[in-house]
């Protein structure tokens, strides 16, 4: 599900059509839910990576760079070896949609795709605010975060929506493993990748990744503990990471 909100009047229909097209292009090439997509053909062994399109090979190379940057807590491969670029391509589609909006002159908007959020400008004066869902109660919020300054992208990864679908590197039985992680960053790819990497790596890898990247984060573990980086916890009384 993708939604787009503007601070003022809605953008022209032609702009909205271009935004929809930006997502369609990524879906047709990278969706493993589409049997006719290029990446599904690779998963079935019909198309080797060396003969894939330049766009797919570039996306794979970028995801592989993220794997190296996160020490393997983020990976473009499923446990069975199939290439799965879901961890980056949704964010890349959001970036493509953002370029459409910016080139059309739109300055104040919020784009939401599958729970990830990218904003520009403000809500006609007040800053854009995003609520972070409580993984124990999808009808409640843990808190709300303002998307201001450099940090205008927010991504959440965890088990509340889709159950256990992330390949973890720590002890899967530990109550300290993360059930949900929200990351605030200055671009949506960084936010999306690191939210997944922090869930996968858990508290053992969290301090290292927090130190290496310019992000803020809120984590919820299976024991019910809520922690946050100093930039977020100071305003909300949360335990610092």
């Amino acid at each position: 599900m993708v939604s787009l909100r503007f601070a003022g009047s809605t953008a022209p229909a032609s702009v909205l059509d271009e935004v929809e097209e930006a997502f369609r292009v990524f879906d047709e090439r990278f969706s493993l839910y589409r049997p006719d997509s290029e990446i599904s053909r690779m998963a079935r062994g019909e198309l080797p990576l060396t003969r894939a399109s330049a766009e797919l090979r570039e996306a794979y190379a970028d995801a592989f760079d993220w794997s190296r940057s996160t020490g393997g807590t983020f990976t473009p491969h499923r446990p069975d070896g199939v290439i799965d670029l879901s961890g980056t391509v949704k964010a890349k589609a959001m970036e493509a949609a953002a370029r459409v909006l910016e080139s059309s002159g739109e300055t104040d908007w919020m784009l939401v795709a599958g729970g990830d959020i990218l904003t520009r400008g403000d809500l006609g004066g007040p800053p854009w605010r995003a609520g972070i869902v409580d993984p124990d109660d999808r009808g409640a919020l843990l808190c709300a975060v303002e998307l201001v300054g450099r940090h205008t992208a927010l991504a959440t990864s965890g088990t509340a929506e889709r159950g256990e679908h992330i390949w973890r590197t720590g002890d899967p039985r530990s109550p300290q493993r993360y059930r949900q992680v929200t990351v605030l960053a200055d671009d949506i790819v960084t936010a999306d990748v690191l939210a997944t990497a922090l869930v996968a790596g858990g508290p053992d890898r969290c301090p290292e990744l927090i130190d290496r990247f310019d992000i803020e984060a809120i984590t919820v573990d299976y024991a019910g503990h809520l922690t946050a980086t100093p930039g977020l916890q100071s305003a909300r009384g949360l335990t610092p990471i």
Side-chain angles (χ1 to χ4, degrees):
M1 178 65 70
V2 176
S3 63
L4 183 58
R5 181 179 180 185
F6 296 91
S9 58
T10 302
S14 59
V15 174
L16 300 181
D17 287 343
E18 288 186 60
V19 169
E20 186 174 355
E21 174 68 9
F23 281 96
R24 185 192 63 77
V25 168
F26 277 83
D27 186 61
E28 289 186 351
R29 186 183 301 278
F30 295 105
S31 175
L32 284 167
Y33 295 100
R34 297 178 62 113
D36 59 338
S37 71
E38 186 176 9
I39 202 164
S40 288
R41 291 173 58 208
M42 288 183 58
R44 293 193 299 268
E46 300 170 2
L47 179 69
L49 179 61
T50 54
R51 297 183 60 186
S53 66
E55 291 82 0
L56 194 149
R57 286 184 280 113
E58 181 180 351
Y60 174 75
D62 184 59
F64 196 77
D65 284 342
W66 275 111
S67 180
R68 289 184 294 197
S69 297
T70 61
T73 53
F74 177 87
T75 175
H77 301 101
R78 295 193 322 208
D80 60 5
V82 169
I83 294 175
D84 185 346
L85 302 179
S86 303
T88 56
V89 294
K90 178 177 67 173
K92 287 180 176 293
M94 293 177 72
E95 287 187 328
R99 289 192 291 270
V100 169
L101 293 166
E102 290 166 347
S103 65
S104 69
E106 299 295 334
T107 57
D108 301 291
W109 46 264
M110 172 184 279
L111 176 66
V112 183
D116 293 349
I117 299 172
L118 182 63
T119 68
R120 292 292 185 271
D122 55 45
L123 187 57
W128 293 106
R129 288 169 59 86
I132 299 175
V133 69
D134 184 340
D136 290 320
D137 180 0
R138 293 178 57 193
L141 297 178
L142 294 176
C143 62
V145 175
E146 293 184 350
L147 288 86
V148 295
R150 293 176 295 108
H151 289 163
T152 59
L154 183 145
T156 297
S157 184
T159 62
E161 296 289 333
R162 295 172 55 194
E164 283 287 355
H165 66 286
I166 297 171
W167 312 311
R168 300 176 185 267
T169 59
D171 182 354
R173 299 165 299 179
S174 170
Q176 281 73 49
R177 71 194 191 282
Y178 293 144
R179 185 175 184 188
Q180 177 174 291
V181 175
T182 297
V183 169
L184 188 63
D186 60 1
D187 71 273
I188 192 60
V189 174
T190 297
D192 204 10
V193 167
L194 292 181
T196 301
L198 287 169
V199 171
D204 291 340
R205 299 298 304 276
C206 184
E208 171 197 348
L209 294 175
I210 293 292
D211 288 342
R212 290 180 54 204
F213 296 95
D214 180 20
I215 61 172
E216 300 287 349
I218 294 178
T219 71
V220 184
D221 66 22
Y222 273 86
H225 299 131
L226 180 66
T227 61
T229 49
L232 292 175
Q233 67 89 24
S234 60
R236 296 172 176 83
L238 304 179
T239 303
I241 293 174

